[in-house]
Amino acid sequence: MKRDFMKLLAGGLSAAMLLAGCSGAAGSTAGGSSSEGGASADTGDTVKIGLNFELTGEVSSYGTAERNGAQLAIDEFNAKEDKPFTVEGVEIDSKGDPAESTTAAIKLIDEDQVAAIVGPATSAPSISTYQAASDKQTPVVSPSATQVDAMLNNGEPYEYAWRVCFEDSYQGAAMAIYAYETLGDKNAAIINETSDYGQGLAKTFKEKFESLGGKVVAQEQYNAKDTDFASILTKIKEKKFDVLYIAGYYGEAGLIIKQARESGIDCNIVGADGFESEKLAELAGKENLNKVWYTTCYTTVNASDELKSFIDDYTAKYDQAPNMFSALAYDATNLVLDQLAATGKTGAELNEAIKKADFSGLTGSFTFDEKTHTPKKTVLVVNQEDGVQTEVDEVEVK
């Protein structure tokens, strides 16, 4: 059932006001007719956006950073003098659990009457919300659900689900290209988490690396929350390799890097966006984060004025620097806010506007691939020197 935009307004509007249309912003379009569940929102009215993030649990570092980035985007929108309405972020903790995430999404839509949902940060909790969001015609935008084919249901995209990040197959292939062509590595070992995230990254890295002429000489797996990787590292040390690809999240990756370096493995280490956390350096030790690279869509190296402003504002508000997840959620939220402001619509018309958006944000400019609901954007590879990024390269996957 389609929800009318007026149901999202906290103050209540008169029938005459509801007949007025909201003028579109330059360069933005939305599908559908104005009679289909659209209404204007005057200054002082409130539109709600759901913030469904992992605020507790194993990946709370990601969820908290994304909640902060999303809320900053909302605060900046509300600070505009010409805003067409006021936005309220309705925060809920998905706890990193798919079932909790689905329950949270349904509550946000049915009880809180949100216009759209941003989050969660990780793939499984995000994917779990897509069917409900599509059934209830409420767009959900995932900042960092990178799992391969995450947006697809039996080969077709969930109609109301979108993401602003590239998928794992893309970044896995990008790192394989970088390791082989830029770093000059020809023999690789892989250590991956047994999750869909870890296996998807490992699979595409291996396929691309070997297609270029490289050889994967060893591959081992671990489970989330493992802390002792001695047996895995002992097995791969028997092989000759010049690069180690770790496909997993910072919690285990930091410990693997630390234990690898302490065991005498001094080769190049590469990874994916799961490395992105200030806790990576805490777990690995800054002295062990040399000759380490990972794929991302965000870096402070050669920062633009827009990015510097974001960093300053975020740091002032939260007393800590933002990271990739903060920036992705900031972009995801601004994508929604831009289309809400341009169309004044929810439901199918807001979703159509998101579908056709030509967006430029902190993590890149993009349009959506309509077959996958995934953006077309460049992969960045950043290095680590004593835990600090000093260089960045762009990688194009063909």
Side-chain angles (χ1 to χ4, degrees):
M1 182 176 67
K2 184 170 181 178
R3 296 177 301 112
D4 196 287
F5 188 62
M6 66 181 178
K7 294 179 181 179
L8 304 172
L9 305 181
L13 302 173
S14 68
M17 292 168 66
L18 289 173
L19 294 175
C22 181
S23 61
S28 299
T29 60
S33 67
S34 60
S35 62
E36 290 185 305
S40 64
D42 292 337
T43 301
D45 298 327
T46 300
V47 179
K48 295 179 180 180
I49 302 294
L51 306 180
N52 185 7
F53 293 114
E54 303 91 328
L55 303 179
T56 58
E58 293 298 316
V59 292
S60 60
S61 171
Y62 298 154
T64 300
E66 293 199 356
R67 184 275 314 275
N68 292 348
Q71 188 59 57
L72 180 60
I74 291 171
D75 291 347
E76 290 178 352
F77 181 90
N78 288 336
K80 297 177 180 178
E81 292 185 0
D82 61 346
K83 62 182 180 294
F85 43 76
T86 298
V87 175
E88 176 188 346
V90 183
E91 179 183 310
I92 197 162
D93 182 9
S94 71
K95 303 177 183 178
D97 178 77
E100 290 275 0
S101 183
T102 303
T103 300
I106 292 171
K107 176 187 180 299
L108 287 168
I109 297 169
D110 289 346
E111 297 182 24
D112 298 300
Q113 295 282 284
V114 299
I117 296 173
V118 180
T122 51
S123 294
S126 294
I127 295 167
S128 72
T129 69
Y130 297 162
Q131 188 62 60
S134 294
D135 289 344
K136 296 173 182 291
Q137 293 188 304
T138 303
V140 56
V141 182
S142 297
S144 49
T146 59
Q147 183 175 312
V148 176
D149 294 336
M151 319 308 291
L152 303 184
N153 181 22
N154 294 322
E156 296 295 326
Y158 289 97
E159 187 177 0
Y160 284 74
W162 308 88
R163 57 180 164 189
V164 299
C165 57
F166 42 66
E167 73 173 18
D168 292 332
S169 61
Y170 200 71
Q171 65 168 325
M175 183 50 82
I177 293 169
Y178 191 80
Y180 186 85
E181 296 184 352
T182 302
L183 299 180
D185 298 323
K186 307 306 178 187
N187 295 289
I190 298 173
I191 299 177
N192 66 274
E193 187 180 288
T194 55
S195 64
D196 289 337
Y197 175 74
Q199 292 188 47
L201 286 168
K203 179 177 183 292
T204 53
F205 177 90
K206 183 176 186 293
E207 289 175 350
K208 190 64 176 181
F209 193 76
E210 292 184 337
S211 75
L212 294 169
K215 184 178 180 180
V216 174
V217 299
Q219 182 171 356
E220 297 292 333
Q221 297 192 106
Y222 65 89
N223 296 313
K225 300 182 182 181
D226 283 353
T227 58
D228 186 350
F229 303 96
S231 61
I232 288 177
L233 294 170
T234 297
K235 287 180 183 178
I236 68 170
K237 278 187 69 176
E238 298 173 357
K239 309 294 183 178
K240 293 183 179 181
F241 56 93
D242 34 41
V243 63
L244 170 61
Y245 184 57
I246 302 174
Y249 297 112
Y250 66 87
E252 295 79 20
L255 295 176
I256 293 172
I257 293 170
K258 178 180 175 62
Q259 292 172 29
R261 293 303 194 217
E262 291 175 345
S263 71
I265 295 175
D266 191 41
C267 67
N268 294 333
I269 295 178
V270 296
D273 59 356
F275 279 27
E276 182 69 44
S277 174
E278 67 280 356
K279 292 186 178 180
L280 181 72
E282 295 177 17
L283 293 166
K286 293 181 179 179
E287 69 279 5
N288 294 318
L289 288 178
N290 291 288
K291 297 198 299 183
V292 175
W293 294 261
Y294 64 90
T295 46
T296 184
C297 59
Y298 171 85
T299 179
T300 58
V301 177
N302 303 322
S304 64
D305 290 341
E306 180 185 12
L307 178 54
K308 290 176 182 177
S309 178
F310 166 74
I311 294 170
D312 289 345
D313 292 343
Y314 186 100
T315 303
K317 182 175 177 64
Y318 300 110
D319 196 29
Q320 60 181 326
N323 59 20
M324 180 192 73
F325 294 94
S326 314
L328 282 168
Y330 181 84
D331 280 354
T333 307
N334 276 319
L335 170 68
V336 172
L337 295 175
D338 285 355
Q339 305 317 310
L340 273 171
T343 65
K345 306 294 184 181
T346 62
E349 291 172 276
L350 173 60
N351 196 62
E352 186 70 11
I354 292 173
K355 176 182 179 180
K356 295 181 177 180
D358 188 349
F359 183 79
S360 180
L362 298 176
T363 62
S365 300
F366 63 83
T367 56
F368 284 109
D369 183 325
E370 293 186 12
K371 294 182 180 179
T372 64
H373 287 201
T374 296
K376 305 167 186 176
K377 63 198 305 185
T378 302
V379 178
L380 303 178
V381 175
V382 294
N383 74 331
Q384 295 273 286
E385 291 185 9
D386 290 329
V388 177
Q389 297 177 12
T390 61
E391 296 178 355
V392 60
D393 289 310
E394 293 186 359
V395 179
E396 182 178 356
V397 180
K398 298 179 181 180

